[in-house]
């Protein structure tokens, strides 16, 4: 059979499938727990590449990809590879410069003589991508961006949602780390990215995890007790334990053990806890300010604030796009939810807490659109050029949230609401005072269209395999080190180890928080820990099925 690989290069992790190119049959799916680049979001990844070398970042991405090939059971060269993702991830995979993505504004780019890279649809041979030269005559299929900063992932979201054919004012949101979103008003599409952070992917939460087997993805209250719902090996939701939320006592034993909670589980928990009086923002009204779930999994006030920041960033993004389009929030009638979080999330609960515009009539949950598009262009080159044509025809306006005053104002108010206890009516009042699109409490229940039950509906006959470690490391020998191990001790994710015999430091890149942290640099008493001295080391990845 002719073997192809479709891969979604996501900010929080990669999703890959082995596909029979001739029949279109999916044989196997592999997902990683994290992105191989240090950092908690795309800006951290950008910072790492710009400050420590784009070649270094490229090597990490390609190293992770090669480990994924091994776990897919592809030990020689695939016949074709198709990728999809945001412009930064795709550029780093290809090994093309990302300077034009790092700087906003034409004057800045002119000052540093930065040229915009062409990010149109392309089919290139693997010999032209560093690190893939030994893949025999393999074609790499690259989808187009709409603009240089509005990537193939946004195009996939817009096209697969169906919003181009919807006459209503509609909004599509990828509920992930970057929170890409697109608002369609007439024939104009307004795009933005809220950089919500990894909480919606279950990361930066104490017992959080991405959507994977044995993760709590939903909860409900049964007479003051908390029922857990957990993903099984087939990524189906099954009933877990019924527990007392104050101490975790099991009232009714479920059918499955849980290892963590997804971002969707967190959203469900927040909505249920607010409705049942366990949470009055920003406090948890239980012993030790902790909600106990099954199998020792806990949710604390720090987790509540982290999740609130992500939720607030998304609502602020929606407000900002409406402001750019000069419409009211209540004008939006259809909302599309994509990504793993957008699929497994209870849409009604997400609507209740403000992650979806409050007055929509319909919500459609559409799955992992990036992986769908990667598979489409893997199987059909005609589809690739069709997407290029669509990208060229889209009349779009991109709103750079980081530079937009409306987003800044709205997000500051959201932070006050989620983290400081600002009452909802005061939040509404200040939005109106600042002449921004206003919000309100949900007044009616929208219709829910669940197009897929799982974000990756078909896993293949060999099933889903989870890479707990992608096998990418940064390493260096620290000359003059006294082996005090302070750098090791301060690492919040246990990403760093040290070998005393030669003072060699090893950083597991998929666990490292990168620019978001850098505690190891500041912990060294003699300022000897220099990231610019780090080199790559590859180790065999570990797999949990």
């Amino acid at each position: 059979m002719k073997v192809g690989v479709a891969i979604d290069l996501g900010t929080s992790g990669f999703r890959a499938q082995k596909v029979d190119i001739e029949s279109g049959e999916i044989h196997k799916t592999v997902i990683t727990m994290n992105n191989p680049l240090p950092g908690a979001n795309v800006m951290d990844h950008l910072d790492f590449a710009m400050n420590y070398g784009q070649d270094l970042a490229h090597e990490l991405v390609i190293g992770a990809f090669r480990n994924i090939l091994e776990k897919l059971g592809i030990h020689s060269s695939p016949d074709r590879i198709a990728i999809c993702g945001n412009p930064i991830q795709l550029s780093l995979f290809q090994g093309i410069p990302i300077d034009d993505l790092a700087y906003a504004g034409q004057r800045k780019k002119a000052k540093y003589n930065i040229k915009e890279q062409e990010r149109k649809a392309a089919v290139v041979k693997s010999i032209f991508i560093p690190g893939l030269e030994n893949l025999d005559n393999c074609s790499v299929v690259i989808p187009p961006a709409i603009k240089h900063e509005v990537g193939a992932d946004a195009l996939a979201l817009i096209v697969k949602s169906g919003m181009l054919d919807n006459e209503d004012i509609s909004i599509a949101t990828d509920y992930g780390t970057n929170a890409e979103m697109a608002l369609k008003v007439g024939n104009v599409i307004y795009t933005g990215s809220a950089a919500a952070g990894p909480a919606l992917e279950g990361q930066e939460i104490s017992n959080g995890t991405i959507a994977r087997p044995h993760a709590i993805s939903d909860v409900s209250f049964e007479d003051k007790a908390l029922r857990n719902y957990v993903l099984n090996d087939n990524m189906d939701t099954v009933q877990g334990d019924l527990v007392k939320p104050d101490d975790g006592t099991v009232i009714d034993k479920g059918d499955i053990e849980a290892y963590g909670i997804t971002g969707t589980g967190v959203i469900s928990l927040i909505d249920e806890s607010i409705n049942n009086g366990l949470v009055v923002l920003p406090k948890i009204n239980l012993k030790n300010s902790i909600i106990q779930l099954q199998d020792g999994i806990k949710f604390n006030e720090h987790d509540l604030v982290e999740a609130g920041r992500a939720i607030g960033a998304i609502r602020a993004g929606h407000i900002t796009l409406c402001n750019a389009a000069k419409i009211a929030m209540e004008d939006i009638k259809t909302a599309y939810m994509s990504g793993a979080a957008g699929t497994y999330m209870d849409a009604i609960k997400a609507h209740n807490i403000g992650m979806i515009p409050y007055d929509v009539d319909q919500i459609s949950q559409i799955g992992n659109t990036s992986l769908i598009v990667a598979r489409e262009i893997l199987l059909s080159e005609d589809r690739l050029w069709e997407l290029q044509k669509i990208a060229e025809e889209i009349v779009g306006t991109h709103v750079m949230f980081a530079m937009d005053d409306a987003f800044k104002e709205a997000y500051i108010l959201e932070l006050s609401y989620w983290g400081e206890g600002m009452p909802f009516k005061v939040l509404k009042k200040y939005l109106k005072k600042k002449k921004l699109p206003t919000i309100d409490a949900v007044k009616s229940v929208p219709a829910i269209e669940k197009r897929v039950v799982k974000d990756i509906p078909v896993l293949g006959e060999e099933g889903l395999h989870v890479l707990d470690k992608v096998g990418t490391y940064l390493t260096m020998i620290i000359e003059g080190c006294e082996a005090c191990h302070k750098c090791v001790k301060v690492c919040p994710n246990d990403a760093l180890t040290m070998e005393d015999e030669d003072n060699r430091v090893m950083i597991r890149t998929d666990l490292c928080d990168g620019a978001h942290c850098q505690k190891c640099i500041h912990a060294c008493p003699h300022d000897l820990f220099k990231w610019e001295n780090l080199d790559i080391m590859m180790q065999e990845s570990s797999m949990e099925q």
Side-chain angles (χ1 to χ4, degrees):
M1 100 179 162
K2 285 192 173 183
V3 176
V5 176
I7 182 165
D8 167 27
L9 301 170
T11 302
S12 61
F14 294 170
R15 314 282 186 270
Q17 293 188 310
K18 180 170 70 173
V19 182
D20 182 334
I21 293 174
E22 293 175 332
S23 69
E25 183 181 356
I26 298 166
H27 284 263
K28 189 176 184 178
T29 301
V30 170
I31 66 174
T32 68
M33 289 292 292
N34 302 91
N35 189 293
L37 296 173
N41 55 58
V42 71
M43 297 310 296
D44 289 346
H45 297 166
L46 184 66
D47 177 270
F48 175 81
M50 294 300 296
N51 287 311
Y52 303 107
Q54 296 178 43
D55 289 343
L56 193 66
H58 168 74
E59 287 182 57
L60 288 172
V61 172
I62 294 299
F65 174 71
R66 297 192 72 93
N67 277 337
I68 288 170
L69 286 184
E70 286 291 318
K71 298 311 174 186
L72 284 171
I74 302 173
H75 304 298
S76 56
S77 173
D79 294 281
R80 195 180 303 154
I81 299 164
I83 61 178
C84 194
N86 68 54
I88 292 171
Q89 304 295 342
L90 292 195
S91 299
L92 290 175
F93 183 95
Q94 295 172 75
I96 66 175
I98 58 171
D99 305 66
D100 59 325
L101 300 173
Y103 295 97
Q106 294 305 315
R107 283 187 297 177
K108 179 76 78 170
K109 291 176 182 178
K111 178 181 178 180
Y112 292 108
N113 195 28
I114 295 170
K115 296 179 180 178
E116 289 190 2
Q117 298 295 313
E118 186 173 276
R119 294 185 171 86
K120 293 184 178 180
V123 180
V124 302
K125 291 298 182 182
S126 58
I127 57 171
F128 297 111
I129 297 179
L132 299 182
E133 299 94 338
N134 65 339
L135 299 183
D136 301 332
N137 203 33
C138 175
S139 296
V140 181
V141 186
I142 303 159
I146 299 173
K147 295 182 178 179
H148 86 282
E149 74 274 26
V150 185
D153 55 342
L155 178 63
L157 174 64
I158 291 166
V159 170
K160 299 311 295 182
S161 68
M163 69 188 313
L164 292 175
D165 300 318
N166 189 346
E167 293 183 1
D168 289 340
I169 294 176
S170 57
I171 194 162
T173 307
D174 183 347
Y175 288 88
T177 302
N178 297 331
E180 293 91 354
M181 53 186 68
L183 171 69
K184 179 176 175 289
V185 181
N187 67 341
V188 179
I189 293 179
Y190 300 82
T191 58
S193 175
L200 294 178
E201 303 279 3
Q203 298 166 15
E204 300 297 315
I205 300 294
S206 301
N207 293 131
T209 178
I210 64 168
R212 58 167 297 176
H214 297 278
I216 297 170
S217 63
D218 198 3
V219 299
S220 65
F221 273 84
E222 299 178 10
D223 193 26
K224 297 185 180 180
L226 194 62
R227 174 67 72 181
N228 296 259
Y229 295 92
V230 185
L231 298 173
N232 66 12
D233 290 337
N234 294 319
M235 298 295 282
D236 295 316
T237 302
V238 299
Q239 186 169 278
D241 296 353
L242 181 69
V243 302
K244 291 183 178 180
D246 56 343
D247 61 11
T249 301
V250 178
I251 299 171
D252 177 47
K253 189 68 179 171
D255 303 321
I256 189 170
E257 185 178 3
Y259 303 149
I261 182 169
T262 66
T264 65
V266 168
I267 298 305
S268 176
L269 181 61
I270 291 172
D271 178 61
E272 291 279 354
S273 297
I274 290 174
N275 290 338
N276 286 272
L278 272 64
V279 166
V280 177
L281 293 175
K283 300 295 184 182
I284 295 175
N285 295 328
L286 285 175
K287 181 172 58 178
N288 299 322
S289 301
I290 291 173
I291 300 174
Q292 302 278 354
L293 294 97
Q294 75 173 70
D295 297 312
I297 296 166
K298 301 174 182 178
F299 184 81
N300 59 38
E301 288 181 352
H302 170 78
D303 299 330
L304 180 61
V305 171
E306 284 293 324
R309 288 173 181 165
I311 298 165
I314 287 174
R315 184 158 59 186
H318 291 167
I319 291 169
T320 303
L321 291 186
C322 288
N323 186 67
K326 295 180 170 51
I327 65 168
M329 288 282 278
E330 58 263 32
D331 292 334
I332 301 173
K333 295 306 174 188
T334 305
Y336 301 97
M337 304 175 70
S338 80
T343 302
Y344 294 110
M345 199 180 296
D346 185 312
I348 298 299
K349 294 175 182 177
H351 190 218
N352 289 341
I353 62 173
M355 298 183 72
I356 299 166
Y358 71 91
D359 203 31
V360 297
D361 296 328
Q362 178 163 321
I363 300 171
S364 296
Q365 296 176 278
I366 59 179
N368 185 324
T369 53
S370 283
L371 186 58
I372 292 171
V373 164
R375 195 164 59 247
E376 287 180 352
I377 61 177
L378 177 74
L379 299 175
S380 170
E381 190 172 321
D382 287 343
R383 178 58 168 162
L384 175 69
W385 306 123
E386 181 185 350
L387 289 172
Q388 177 62 58
K389 187 171 183 291
I390 293 171
E392 291 170 353
E393 291 175 349
I394 288 176
V395 179
T397 297
H398 184 68
V399 183
M400 192 71 71
F401 288 174
M403 301 176 65
D404 190 274
D405 289 339
F407 182 80
K408 294 175 186 176
E409 296 281 8
Y411 191 45
I412 288 171
L413 291 174
E414 289 287 349
L415 291 177
S416 298
Y417 172 71
W418 288 98
E420 303 296 333
M422 173 187 280
F424 185 71
K425 64 180 181 181
V426 177
L427 171 59
K428 289 168 52 181
K429 173 185 173 182
Y430 274 100
L431 285 171
K432 185 175 182 179
K433 185 176 181 180
K434 293 177 182 297
K435 295 182 170 54
L436 294 173
T438 56
I439 58 177
D440 208 340
V442 171
K443 294 181 174 63
S444 59
V445 178
I448 307 297
E449 178 199 19
K450 203 167 180 68
R451 295 185 193 172
V452 293
V453 178
K454 307 171 187 175
D455 67 313
I456 308 175
V458 180
L459 300 175
E461 60 184 11
E462 297 178 54
L464 174 69
H465 296 254
V466 179
L467 279 176
D468 281 320
K469 293 195 293 184
V470 299
T472 52
Y473 291 80
L474 293 171
T475 184
M476 64 178 169
I477 294 174
I478 304 179
E479 300 292 343
C481 175
E482 298 176 351
C484 67
H485 287 224
K486 288 183 179 179
C487 57
V488 177
K489 294 171 185 175
V490 298
C491 181
N493 300 330
D494 296 325
L496 195 152
T497 58
M498 175 177 281
E499 299 172 3
D500 286 339
E501 52 268 22
D502 60 356
N503 293 330
R504 176 177 291 279
V505 164
M506 294 276 287
I507 299 176
R508 187 177 144 186
T509 63
D510 60 330
L511 291 184
C512 176
D513 276 344
H516 187 64
C517 174
Q518 295 192 339
K519 291 181 179 178
C520 52
I521 295 175
H522 306 301
C524 182
H526 302 295
D527 197 26
L528 300 174
F529 203 108
K530 305 290 185 183
W531 268 51
E532 54 267 31
N533 296 332
L534 289 164
D535 290 318
I536 287 179
M537 178 179 289
M538 299 298 301
Q539 289 190 358
E540 185 178 352
S541 55
S542 73
M543 180 176 69
E544 183 174 299
Q545 185 170 326

